[in-house]
Amino acid sequence: MCNRFSKTNNRISLVVITIVKNNSLNIINKILANQADQTEKEAFFKQLGEDAKFKEESIGIQNLWHLSHIQNKQSSDIDKKLLFNEFWAKTGGKKVNNYWIGNFQKYAAVILVALFLGMALQYFIPQLRQGKVETYVYQSEKGSVSTVILPDSSKVWLNSDSKLELTNRKGLITAKLSGEAYFDIKHDENREFVVDVGEFKIKDLGTKFNVKAYECDNYYRAALLEGDIDILNTANTTLANINPGQGVIYNKHTGKLKVSNIDTSIESAWTEGKFVFVKKTLAQMCEDLEKWYNVDFNIQNKDLANEQYTCVLKKTTTVEQMLKILKVTSEVNYQILSNETGKDIVIIK
Amino acid sequence: MHQKLFYIDIKSLKRGDKKVYESVYFEFFDVLYHLALQYLRREDIAKEVVQDAFVKLWENKGAIENNSNIKNLLYTITKNNCLNHLRNEKVVAKYLDNIRHLELQFQYDALSKLSDDAIIFEELQEKLNAAIEKLPEKIKQVFIMSRFQELKYREIADKLSISQKTVESRMSKALAFLRKDLKEYLPFYILLSEFLN
């Protein structure tokens, strides 16, 4: 068709339009059949963004594509009997022995809600529908926050690069935490809720509290916003009872636990999409920022590393915007080394 | 395709009668599942989304009217669940993978253009079937192998001893014909007469 040149301009333009249409159809066709390569995909979506009519047309074809498939798929090899029984258990129509778990599954699918725009979330729900699974693992990747809602509407926020392992065993829910999480737990006489960070445990008595226990950090912290918590050692002996506004700081090197007053609004600020730093050294700030931005900070100027800052940063701020602010407010120079295979490195001079 | 008559005892449904839920579940699960699967492309999530639609039906059973169309309700809930899911996935992809984000946006736009009414949705399916029947034989053959038998273009080419390019071209023609036939139902703007002739 490409060789069909005609003498009149009109004819040429018609032929050209035809070729474009023909190619467009081929591309849509390939995209839908999942046989387009990266370049074709890019070209297609570019055109989609630029040409409203093309977009409408493509959407029409896509729907046609899907419908023609659904049409002839009136059955499936899915075990509907099994699924129905699960559905029925969820409705509470039938009491099942592992009711808590049954209900939990229902929420597992819908629990993960993006907290705010600009925050990505990722989650892993293991082995749904595999019968009696008693442990659930939730994980937030670097740069994302997820929330987990329990059947009794207790809620857990999971900060960037954190992992939560929930086990329900005979009225005792154990939450193994590595990383940072904010708990809003409903009090229930019939079950206990214990957060285990390895070195110590937090027994909840109906509360809002924040726990920060990243393995790479030197200190683990737990802060109480509302309610009542007990701090237990690994042998379940009560070490301290904490009141709202207080927290514990555990020094991993000395193994000592200290109760102190803590500004709790700072502890929970991350759940609202903010970093709050009050009199934090640049080095301490970078520790937190590394987890969020998935970069490595390298502070070459040691004086600068110990300089103290107080600031509030929105988490949607990019690392570059943050560095620009830093550059304006203090004598800081920076350089970003991009690293194809791993984390980018930010050098602060 | 003839319409199957399926009677639902609304009173028992409102009461939460297990037998009625079971029959509704078995009647509608597949079509809802395949709808979700086409747009979400993940079996586990599609199952979850449909399961959730039935749970929502259960939770709202008190509000069901005697003349409510249950199929329509389930269809609408499933469609909205799928849209919600795509929206969430889009937010994640936006920061990770631009192409994936655009793909999800494309899926989302297409699904949101589907009728909210299960009756129109069914009508469209019937029209589509009729249109497929009218396709030229060779084109129809390739289309059916691809869309009904789920064969890859490569596999179709091998089976029919034609080139993959020919398969692609026949599929493009099939899409053009079908879209022309269904222009009242699907967005259709650019005239393709030149191409079809």
Side-chain angles (χ1 to χ4, degrees):
Chain A
M1 210 183 288
C2 299
N3 297 325
R4 272 171 56 199
F5 286 109
S6 152
K7 277 179 187 167
T8 65
N9 286 337
N10 192 23
R11 185 65 201 155
I12 290 176
S13 66
L14 260 180
V15 172
V16 170
I17 287 170
T18 309
I19 293 167
V20 169
K21 283 170 190 164
N22 194 356
N23 282 342
S24 299
L25 267 174
N26 277 337
I27 288 187
I28 296 169
N29 182 4
K30 275 186 156 179
I31 295 271
L32 292 172
N34 207 9
Q35 302 200 335
D37 59 33
Q38 203 66 10
T39 325
E40 286 169 317
K41 279 186 186 174
E42 273 168 26
F44 173 77
F45 287 117
K46 187 166 178 278
Q47 198 182 347
L48 210 63
E50 288 166 356
D51 184 343
K53 277 185 179 174
F54 177 73
K55 187 177 168 185
E56 287 292 336
E57 184 185 63
S58 303
I59 284 174
I61 290 186
Q62 195 198 23
N63 280 336
L64 193 148
W65 178 270
H66 288 330
L67 291 179
S68 64
H69 193 71
I70 297 165
Q71 174 80 353
N72 293 279
K73 274 282 179 185
Q74 297 296 340
S75 69
S76 62
D77 36 13
I78 289 170
D79 187 347
K80 286 199 281 278
K81 187 77 198 160
L82 184 80
L83 281 183
F84 175 78
N85 286 338
E86 279 181 17
F87 155 73
W88 195 247
K90 281 176 192 178
T91 62
K94 183 178 75 180
K95 274 273 178 192
V96 285
N97 290 336
N98 55 349
Y99 181 66
W100 190 88
I101 293 291
N103 220 352
F104 197 96
Q105 286 176 345
K106 164 171 141 192
Y107 288 95
V110 274
I111 42 179
L112 297 137
V113 192
L115 280 182
F116 10 72
L117 209 74
M119 279 217 164
L121 90 163
Q122 296 213 342
Y123 51 89
F124 300 94
I125 303 165
Q127 303 175 38
L128 276 179
R129 322 197 170 295
Q130 296 289 313
K132 278 193 173 181
V133 182
E134 290 211 312
T135 303
Y136 293 83
V137 182
Y138 300 87
Q139 201 158 342
S140 263
E141 295 298 291
K142 292 205 172 195
S144 71
V145 169
S146 11
T147 58
V148 178
I149 298 171
L150 306 187
D152 63 358
S153 75
S154 292
K155 196 169 174 184
V156 183
W157 281 258
L158 204 55
N159 204 350
S160 169
D161 194 20
S162 301
K163 190 176 157 190
L164 186 74
E165 225 180 282
L166 284 175
T167 311
N168 180 39
R169 200 170 287 126
K170 290 177 191 155
L172 169 68
I173 301 172
T174 312
K176 268 189 141 171
L177 174 70
S178 143
E180 184 167 19
Y182 177 81
F183 298 85
D184 181 356
I185 304 299
K186 298 268 180 302
H187 186 60
D188 184 347
E189 291 287 333
N190 298 317
R191 63 124 175 78
E192 282 185 64
F193 192 96
V194 172
V195 180
D196 185 353
V197 296
E199 273 78 357
F200 63 95
K201 294 177 184 174
I202 299 132
K203 186 179 165 190
D204 152 75
L205 305 161
T207 40
K208 291 182 179 161
F209 60 103
N210 192 67
V211 181
K212 193 174 177 192
Y214 283 101
E215 266 170 46
C216 54
D217 291 353
N218 295 326
Y219 296 93
Y220 285 176
R221 305 157 67 87
L224 179 64
L225 283 83
E226 276 177 31
D228 203 354
I229 54 176
D230 281 347
I231 306 295
L232 314 175
N233 65 10
T234 46
N236 293 330
T237 314
T238 305
L239 300 176
N241 178 268
I242 307 294
N243 296 318
Q246 283 185 322
V248 286
I249 299 167
Y250 176 82
N251 185 326
K252 271 169 75 181
H253 296 300
T254 62
K256 280 190 178 156
L257 197 78
K258 202 178 99 189
V259 177
S260 62
N261 291 329
I262 280 180
D263 184 344
T264 49
S265 64
I266 297 170
E267 298 291 316
S268 61
W270 65 269
T271 63
E272 288 153 25
K274 291 177 212 155
F275 283 113
V276 181
F277 298 110
V278 180
K279 290 188 186 163
K280 284 274 182 88
T281 64
L282 187 62
Q284 286 171 328
M285 268 171 65
C286 288
E287 244 180 44
D288 278 1
L289 295 172
E290 272 176 354
K291 286 172 201 121
W292 182 252
Y293 291 121
N294 198 18
V295 295
D296 277 330
F297 284 96
N298 181 346
I299 310 172
Q300 293 182 337
N301 181 341
K302 292 298 161 210
D303 293 339
L304 209 60
N306 292 320
E307 210 163 282
Q308 287 193 337
Y309 290 87
T310 294
C311 61
V312 178
L313 277 177
K314 272 193 188 167
K315 285 197 166 181
T316 45
T317 313
T318 64
V319 70
E320 205 154 6
Q321 285 170 325
M322 190 275 294
L323 288 165
K324 275 183 190 155
I325 298 167
L326 208 59
K327 192 177 172 181
V328 174
T329 49
S330 33
E331 308 262 305
V332 172
N333 251 317
Y334 66 90
Q335 192 186 353
I336 301 176
L337 301 177
S338 62
N339 183 354
E340 288 290 320
T341 49
K343 293 179 199 169
D344 289 351
I345 299 164
V346 179
I347 298 176
I348 298 176
K349 295 176 220 177
Chain B
M1 192 182 93
H2 67 275
Q3 286 286 326
K4 248 189 314 182
L5 277 176
F6 179 70
Y7 172 73
I8 301 168
D9 180 356
I10 300 270
K11 267 190 191 151
S12 303
L13 197 77
K14 285 173 77 81
R15 257 204 325 270
D17 183 285
K18 186 176 175 182
K19 279 235 151 24
V20 180
Y21 277 88
E22 198 164 11
S23 69
V24 168
Y25 196 94
F26 276 76
E27 178 70 20
F28 298 131
F29 184 91
D30 284 325
V31 69
L32 298 173
Y33 172 71
H34 286 294
L35 173 74
L37 185 60
Q38 276 299 302
Y39 287 89
L40 301 178
R41 294 192 178 172
R42 275 190 49 186
E43 290 178 7
D44 53 342
I45 296 174
K47 265 191 232 170
E48 206 58 59
V49 154
V50 177
Q51 192 75 311
D52 191 48
F54 283 104
V55 171
K56 282 210 177 95
L57 177 74
W58 167 273
E59 283 169 350
N60 295 302
K61 61 183 184 293
I64 295 172
E65 311 258 336
N66 284 334
N67 57 357
S68 288
N69 184 332
I70 302 302
K71 186 180 196 173
N72 211 3
L73 261 171
L74 284 167
Y75 168 84
T76 311
I77 299 170
T78 305
K79 187 188 150 187
N80 287 336
N81 279 355
C82 289
L83 286 173
N84 280 339
H85 189 87
L86 287 171
R87 197 181 299 128
N88 287 344
E89 228 190 306
K90 240 166 52 188
V91 174
V92 178
K94 193 169 183 183
Y95 296 90
L96 301 175
D97 181 348
N98 191 37
I99 290 281
R100 179 87 190 112
H101 177 243
L102 293 169
E103 268 172 359
L104 289 163
Q105 182 66 49
F106 185 42
Q107 292 284 69
Y108 182 87
D109 289 342
L111 181 58
S112 54
K113 283 270 158 81
L114 269 196
S115 165
D116 277 326
D117 192 331
I119 311 291
I120 296 176
F121 174 72
E122 277 181 350
E123 213 175 286
L124 174 59
Q125 287 201 308
E126 278 175 46
K127 291 270 189 287
L128 179 59
N129 243 16
I132 292 169
E133 282 307 311
K134 283 196 298 189
L135 287 175
E137 201 49 49
K138 279 185 179 168
I139 291 174
K140 182 172 148 191
Q141 183 187 29
V142 168
F143 188 81
I144 285 176
M145 286 172 101
S146 165
R147 300 312 293 144
F148 300 179
Q149 295 166 17
E150 293 176 77
L151 296 177
K152 297 216 160 42
Y153 288 1
R154 180 74 266 152
E155 294 166 335
I156 299 172
D158 288 346
K159 278 204 166 183
L160 299 178
S161 306
I162 52 176
S163 72
Q164 196 172 327
K165 276 263 166 285
T166 310
V167 176
E168 278 173 25
S169 138
R170 285 183 191 170
M171 280 302 287
S172 296
K173 280 187 183 134
L175 291 174
F177 275 122
L178 294 177
R179 189 181 42 166
K180 187 168 175 259
D181 238 25
L182 297 166
K183 58 172 177 264
E184 296 143 48
Y185 291 89
L186 300 162
F188 183 85
Y189 288 96
I190 301 174
L191 287 171
L192 282 159
S193 52
E194 184 81 6
F195 174 63
L196 292 169
N197 296 334

